[in-house]
Amino acid sequence: WDFHVAEVFKTTLKENLLMIYETVAYLKDRKLEVIYDAEHFFDGFKANPEYAFKTLQQAAKAGADNLTLCDTNGGSLPHEIRHAILKVKERVKTPLGIHCHNDSELAVANSIQAVGEGCVLVQGTINGYGERCGNANLVSIIPNVMLKMGLDCIPRDGLRALRDVSRFVA
């Protein structure tokens, strides 16, 4: 989000793009898997879509293995998630991921929407526990993705264990 580049990082948009590229390239040169978490992506996309795309393109150009789009403020609606992902897929070919916060009680819905649009990595937490209002609840997402969308994301016997894992963490 260009706002954070200027106000939090206290740098220029150009310098931020260079930092993204250099950081990802450094890690890839060391043969590491790199998941680029595009913090505040959806807010950035709403405010300045061209710059938001440029950040992803820099990470992809440097060799990132996955570009994870973050709804860091948890304020996006499912149709906004869909729209942004479709636009991103027009510009980058790197596999996408999703990271949603639950400030608007939509982290699960937004994550499932993102999977439907082709995101192959879902970040979340058990029971949705996390900062502020929480994160996407994997205990809800996993069964929906597996049973309703027909996508295997964990071993089948792991699905049966989700209830016990949820209770243990709670």
Side-chain angles (χ1 to χ4, degrees):
W1 186 4
D2 58 1
F3 171 77
H4 278 263
V5 174
E7 298 301 320
V8 177
F9 299 156
K10 304 281 189 211
T11 192
T12 66
L13 299 182
K14 184 177 180 180
E15 178 64 21
N16 187 57
L17 293 175
L18 182 61
M19 288 189 294
I20 292 167
Y21 181 86
E22 288 178 345
T23 301
V24 173
Y26 175 86
L27 295 169
K28 291 308 295 180
D29 284 347
R30 280 144 185 83
K31 310 294 185 224
L32 297 170
E33 178 183 23
V34 176
I35 298 170
Y36 174 72
D37 275 10
E39 283 289 322
H40 292 279
F41 174 79
F42 292 96
D43 293 312
F45 178 79
K46 292 171 191 174
N48 185 346
E50 285 307 311
Y51 185 72
F53 289 135
K54 286 180 183 178
T55 65
L56 298 176
Q57 289 166 332
Q58 285 297 102
K61 183 175 153 187
D65 298 289
N66 182 281
L67 305 174
T68 294
L69 310 178
C70 303
D71 187 24
T72 312
N73 284 335
S76 297
L77 295 168
H79 75 275
E80 294 171 314
I81 298 290
R82 179 180 189 276
H83 172 73
I85 291 171
L86 291 175
K87 292 296 182 187
V88 167
K89 288 170 64 175
E90 291 174 4
R91 299 210 181 186
V92 295
K93 301 304 175 209
T94 304
L96 300 177
I98 190 71
H99 175 110
C100 295
H101 290 248
N102 204 33
D103 299 58
S104 299
E105 287 294 322
L106 292 167
V108 169
N110 285 341
S111 297
I112 292 169
Q113 179 73 51
V115 170
E117 300 309 326
C119 286
V120 297
L121 180 147
V122 176
Q123 295 179 1
T125 63
I126 299 299
N127 299 335
Y129 297 151
E131 65 268 64
R132 290 188 326 275
C133 297
N135 300 92
N137 182 357
L138 293 172
V139 176
S140 299
I141 294 168
I142 291 169
N144 276 291
V145 167
M146 290 182 70
L147 300 174
K148 295 179 181 178
M149 298 176 79
L151 301 171
D152 288 331
C153 54
I154 64 171
R156 281 282 172 180
D157 46 342
L159 191 58
R160 287 181 175 62
L162 280 177
R163 176 181 167 272
D164 294 336
V165 169
S166 174
R167 285 184 166 194
F168 176 79
V169 171

